[in-house]
Amino acid sequence: MEYSNGFPRKRDVSLEELSQRLAEFAEVRGWDQYHSPRNLLLALVGEVGELSEIFQWKGEVAKGLPNWSSDDKEHLEEELSDVLLYLVRLADVCGLDLGQAALTKIVKNAQKYPVTTTDHTTTSTRN
């Protein structure tokens, strides 16, 4: 991996790469014993709570976060990353292909919520 100022350079990252790096990270630290599905789920819920706190008293927030400071945006990136990483690790420990599951879910949602000529607000990310 190429680094700039100690941080990875911006590039596309796959869920597979994240999964592999997280597995290696846990293994070399001896954390596999603690990474049961239950423990990972509880950690994920905690991180979602921390993410929620960022928005708790802000009211509606505009797309792109135009009124947010760079520090606030960095904090949001960190909490979103924590949620993503625990989610990817949970899927891996459960033996699931999260990327394929997400694509399958999008197809199911498209079938469940078809676009109609009068409804242009259909969202394919509903349950």
Side-chain angles (χ1 to χ4, degrees):
M1 174 175 286
E2 295 181 21
Y3 288 84
S4 172
N5 297 327
F7 293 98
R9 294 170 91 182
K10 190 172 182 172
R11 63 180 177 79
D12 289 335
V13 178
S14 69
L15 291 177
E16 179 64 29
E17 180 181 349
L18 290 176
S19 180
Q20 290 172 356
R21 297 207 41 196
L22 287 167
E24 179 183 325
F25 188 90
E27 182 181 349
V28 299
R29 288 164 177 76
W31 292 355
D32 280 331
Q33 62 184 324
Y34 307 112
H35 284 192
S36 67
R38 176 190 172 275
N39 288 348
L40 291 168
L41 175 61
L42 292 175
L44 173 62
V45 169
E47 293 299 338
V48 169
E50 290 181 25
L51 178 60
S52 299
E53 287 176 350
I54 295 172
F55 290 92
Q56 187 171 10
W57 305 114
K58 291 195 182 291
E60 269 314 305
V61 175
K63 290 181 180 180
L65 313 175
N67 301 319
W68 286 36
S69 71
S70 59
D71 286 346
D72 286 342
K73 287 180 181 181
E74 182 178 349
H75 184 209
L76 178 60
E77 285 178 333
E78 290 172 358
E79 296 307 332
L80 284 168
S81 296
D82 286 340
V83 169
L84 174 64
L85 295 174
Y86 273 116
L87 184 63
V88 168
R89 183 71 174 141
L90 176 60
D92 185 44
V93 166
C94 290
L96 304 174
D97 182 337
L98 185 59
Q100 189 59 53
L103 290 174
T104 299
K105 184 64 175 176
I106 290 170
V107 170
K108 287 181 179 181
N109 283 343
Q111 294 168 347
K112 187 175 180 179
Y113 304 105
V115 176
T116 64
T117 55
T118 59
D119 180 16
H120 296 287
T121 61
T122 301
T123 304
S124 61
T125 57
R126 294 181 188 166
N127 298 331

